[in-house]
Amino acid sequence: MTSAPLAARLSVPSGPLFFPVTAYGPDGAVDLDTYRTHVRRGVEAGAAAVFACCGTGEFHALAPEEFEACVAAAVEATEGRVPVVAGAGYGTALAIQYARAAERAGADGLLAMPPYLVVAAQEGLLRHYTQLAEATSLDIIVYQRDNAVFTPETVIALARHPKVLGLKDGLGDLDLMQRIVSAVRTEVPEEFLYFNGLPTAELTGLAYRGIGITLYSSAVFCFAPTIAQAFHKALTTGDDATANRLLDGFYRPLVELRNQGRGYAVSLVKAGVRLGGLDVGEVRPPLQEPREDHVKQLAELVQRGHELLEGAAG
């Protein structure tokens, strides 16, 4: 059983799911004014939901009080127009603290990220996410990646929990995901949502659509919302010609550039936001900034992406 309000708002989005970067000022402190501007612009550009302080938002780098302030700022900036889902992670006790902070800040739900460091058995993972789900009134989306990889049986158990509304996949094992989708569909009558959570998820969007997963996180939306919107429309309407044109001319080269540096799934995105005229600051350690020539290549790619859209329109 899912929570109708949040699940319904996420299930058929009108645009990409927006994972904003977290803005820092020249002194390295969180810049809430710039962050509100970033979130507000994303909503005005057509974001279907705001996922605040998650991976792209450097959840790992935020102190608890910064996290709560950022989630509250995202809630303020969205003005109720779209749901706000906040990250929650680390061990169970800390994840619960972050979840309660998100609840105080007015979030609509939680993205439950993997536990810190440990590699746990399925029983332990199930206990962790169950306790997190029961710690607040917020519904949760469980994020599969790294040290949190689930069997279909565990996902069935999670899907049966009234507070767990979906699974975000950052692993990329389509065989496993197909078995999970099939098992849950067979054993759980209520709707359960799935999200493609791979970095630059558009690259694998057509493959995930093939197993029925059309929801995805879009980091590109942070810095090139027009391109991200065009791809989202193509993917959801079956316009594969446009989708493939953007994949060949923009997304595949972007992924190849992203793979040139560790942490570029965050730092390159943040550089892209700065290229667009909004100074969101640099990434915090242990991440590092992308090389200057890579930022230049990113600017050229964004220009190429817009040219592809203009060519199609012409």
Side-chain angles (χ1 to χ4, degrees), residues 35 39 119 172 195 209-210 215:
Y35 183 67
V39 171
V119 178
F195 304 79
R209 190 186 66 184
L215 300 171

Side-chain angles (χ1 to χ4, degrees), residues 39 45 57 60 66 82 99 123 133 157 201 206 209 217 225 232 251 256 291:
V39 171
H60 69 277
E66 293 176 321
V82 299
E123 295 85 350
L206 294 173
R209 190 186 66 184
S217 55
H232 181 271
Y251 283 103
E256 291 171 349
R291 286 171 18 190

Side-chain angles (χ1 to χ4, degrees), residues 146-228:
D146 300 327
N147 60 328
V149 177
F150 308 103
T151 64
E153 292 74 20
T154 299
V155 181
I156 289 171
L158 289 168
R160 285 174 173 160
H161 194 287
K163 300 285 288 304
V164 180
L165 64 81
L167 176 73
K168 181 182 179 184
D169 179 51
L171 183 65
D173 184 337
L174 287 177
D175 176 275
L176 174 61
M177 283 306 299
Q178 179 63 84
R179 288 187 288 117
I180 287 171
V181 170
S182 176
V184 173
R185 183 170 57 225
T186 303
E187 300 294 333
V188 183
E190 295 84 7
E191 181 186 18
F192 192 67
L193 303 181
Y194 299 95
F195 304 79
N196 174 358
L198 290 171
T200 318
E202 288 92 342
L203 189 73
T204 53
L206 294 173
Y208 273 77
R209 190 186 66 184
I211 60 171
I213 300 174
T214 57
L215 300 171
Y216 62 92
S217 55
S218 177
V220 169
F221 187 82
C222 288
F223 63 89
T226 304
I227 297 172

Side-chain angles (χ1 to χ4, degrees), residues 8 33 38 40 88 108 142 200 210 261 270 272 298 309:
D33 287 339
H38 180 45
R40 190 178 301 114
D108 297 286
V142 175
T200 318
K270 211 162 192 181
L298 176 62
L309 296 181

